[in-house]
Amino acid sequence: MSILQKISEIEAEMARTQKNKATAHHLGLLKARLAKLRRELITPKGGGGGGPGEGFDVAKTGDARIGFVGFPSVGKSTLLSNLAGVYSEVAAYEFTTLTTVPGVIRYKGAKIQLLDLPGIIEGAKDGKGRGRQVIAVARTCNLILIVLDVLKPLAHKKIIENEVEGFGIRLNKQPPNIGFRKKDKGGINLTSTCVQSELDMETVKSILAEYKIHNADITLRSDSTADDLIDVVEGNRVYIPCLYVLNKIDQISLEELDVIYKIPHCVPISAHHRWNFDDLLERLWDYLQLVRIYTKPKGQLPDYTSPVVLPHRKTAVEDFCMKIHKNLIKEFKYALVWGSSVKYNPQKVGKDHVMEDEDVIQIVKK
């Protein structure tokens, strides 16, 4: 029996099962089995095999990476061509783009790499079409743009979300607040700091037993679901912000546009006419949460033209030094920082000081 058949059987059984307290334990077990089978699909067992696919993944350049995901013929290539000035083959038939086409834009001093990925079809997570490679490249992005056609129903949004979730990508979510630690003996120890509506000791035990884990400490710090626990145990999930780009707004009325503007995480544009690109770029910048740091050589004015761009979780002085060169941290004595992260300008700081957007830094070596 193939993995796909097993998956469809489990999905059918989950659809048949009523959701209530009595069946929660059984459903949790099925969900864990499903997650294990999905993982086997993505990383097939067995060694060797053929070499990597033809020119699919692209070397990472710039400060951030944005992937365009969507069905064929929703305007991903047109959007890339008009944003980055890169020619990605555009035609009126489906599946024009067959491999990843990269482009680069400069925005607010940051170099942002855009990837036009081939269209995905329903069933991509089960290996149909080029779906598996497309979503594997999407896992490496800092932000995913799901490009949708305004005229086609929102069912498309649901299908793409399902495909992406099946690959262990979680869109616009935070990692679940669950502590999980394996140990050698002592059984399963469950502590929760708040009331749990779904998980109880029995469900947790059955999910962990499916992974052959019989000794572990689990701390639930928020009201968690069985899916959250499975995500933590699997440990290969990536949490990526996502923007829905609704293309082809030149074909709808103003009243419909007002409704669209109320959908969360959504930007309506027209790639062909270049409408609303400035709003799109502004939203991209907000979602990427990049931090710009300006450098100041001793006795000169700060260089405001080319900032050093850091991701928002790694903005300490040490991260800044590593970004420039790893030897810089060995010679580091202290730094002078001007900006909103310090109390007075300039302030003498050590390598653990966390900087904010548009700070100016001068590094003093030993």
Side-chain angles (χ1 to χ4, degrees):
M1 201 174 167
S2 72
I3 296 181
L4 284 179
Q5 286 168 319
K6 287 181 188 170
I7 286 181
S8 56
E9 274 196 3
I10 292 178
E11 280 176 342
E13 192 176 340
M14 281 170 70
R16 283 199 305 269
T17 312
Q18 284 186 337
K19 279 188 184 172
N20 55 40
K21 280 236 173 89
T23 59
H25 163 81
H26 179 60
L27 276 170
L29 217 131
L30 290 178
K31 281 179 182 167
R33 267 186 209 153
L34 196 61
K36 274 178 74 175
L37 289 169
R38 285 267 159 78
R39 188 182 59 203
E40 273 179 40
L41 256 189
I42 302 171
T43 51
K45 284 198 179 102
E54 183 58 40
F56 218 85
D57 198 8
V58 178
K60 205 166 185 175
T61 57
D63 302 306
R65 184 177 208 182
I66 299 176
F68 295 177
V69 176
F71 278 104
S73 287
V74 289
K76 299 189 292 295
S77 300
T78 316
L79 179 59
L80 179 79
S81 306
N82 288 342
L83 267 179
V86 173
Y87 181 69
S88 174
E89 199 173 324
V90 180
Y93 55 85
E94 301 198 331
F95 294 108
T96 322
T97 309
L98 294 173
T99 61
T100 311
V101 180
V104 174
I105 53 170
R106 284 193 166 277
Y107 187 65
K108 296 192 176 179
K111 250 174 88 175
I112 299 172
Q113 184 183 35
L114 304 175
L115 296 182
D116 175 20
L117 301 170
I120 62 172
I121 51 175
E122 197 172 350
K125 64 178 184 294
D126 307 329
K128 276 189 196 159
R130 250 359 219 323
R132 192 181 288 179
Q133 291 109 312
V134 172
I135 302 185
V137 176
R139 274 179 76 103
T140 64
C141 297
N142 302 90
L143 171 68
I144 290 178
L145 287 192
I146 291 185
V147 187
L148 301 164
D149 192 332
V150 159
L151 303 171
K152 292 184 182 164
L154 278 177
H156 277 186
K157 174 170 174 259
K158 279 272 178 293
I159 295 171
I160 291 181
E161 280 172 356
N162 274 340
E163 299 300 318
V164 170
E165 296 252 324
F167 259 81
I169 298 176
R170 300 285 174 263
L171 302 174
N172 292 329
K173 281 185 189 166
Q174 292 301 318
N177 200 350
I178 297 177
F180 170 68
R181 194 167 62 91
K182 285 188 200 177
K183 51 189 187 179
D184 296 334
K185 53 180 192 280
I188 284 172
N189 183 14
L190 179 68
T191 46
S192 54
T193 54
C194 56
V195 180
Q196 297 295 321
S197 59
E198 190 176 318
L199 289 178
D200 55 4
M201 191 63 180
E202 199 179 308
T203 315
V204 170
K205 268 188 174 167
S206 69
I207 290 174
L208 292 179
E210 188 59 42
Y211 286 99
K212 298 187 172 60
I213 297 171
H214 303 292
N215 302 300
D217 288 333
I218 294 197
T219 317
L220 305 171
R221 302 189 190 89
S222 59
D223 187 4
S224 310
T225 62
D227 291 327
D228 291 343
L229 180 63
I230 292 168
D231 281 356
V232 170
V233 176
E234 282 274 348
N236 61 355
R237 306 294 189 237
V238 282
Y239 296 85
I240 303 179
C242 166
L243 257 181
Y244 301 100
V245 179
L246 292 176
N247 192 11
K248 309 188 185 177
I249 54 168
D250 47 321
Q251 300 173 13
I252 58 169
S253 66
L254 279 171
E255 288 77 18
E256 288 169 309
L257 195 57
D258 283 342
V259 174
I260 285 168
Y261 246 111
K262 296 191 174 98
I263 306 173
H265 308 299
C266 235
V267 184
I269 60 153
S270 168
H272 185 67
H273 296 283
R274 304 186 181 216
W275 293 350
N276 208 16
F277 272 17
D278 43 0
D279 187 29
L280 175 64
L281 287 168
E282 198 54 52
R283 290 285 286 276
L284 292 185
W285 184 257
D286 290 346
Y287 276 63
L288 283 170
Q289 295 182 300
L290 297 174
V291 173
R292 292 161 294 175
I293 308 292
Y294 300 113
T295 52
K296 180 187 178 302
K298 194 173 179 185
Q300 293 173 29
L301 288 170
D303 175 15
Y304 287 119
T305 53
S306 53
V308 175
V309 179
L310 302 170
H312 77 110
R313 286 190 189 88
K314 295 189 170 178
T315 58
V317 175
E318 188 171 1
D319 298 312
F320 170 84
C321 294
M322 291 301 281
K323 173 102 184 195
I324 291 174
H325 199 279
K326 58 179 181 287
N327 284 348
L328 188 57
I329 200 76
K330 294 174 188 166
E331 302 169 356
F332 178 85
K333 190 175 177 189
Y334 64 88
L336 296 172
V337 173
W338 291 256
S340 55
S341 67
V342 289
K343 282 183 181 167
Y344 36 86
N345 295 325
Q347 187 168 324
K348 190 171 161 181
V349 298
K351 64 181 181 189
D352 297 332
H353 173 75
V354 175
M355 295 180 287
E356 289 173 14
D357 195 24
E358 300 205 79
D359 279 4
V360 174
I361 187 171
Q362 175 185 329
I363 286 180
V364 179
K365 294 184 184 176
K366 285 172 185 164

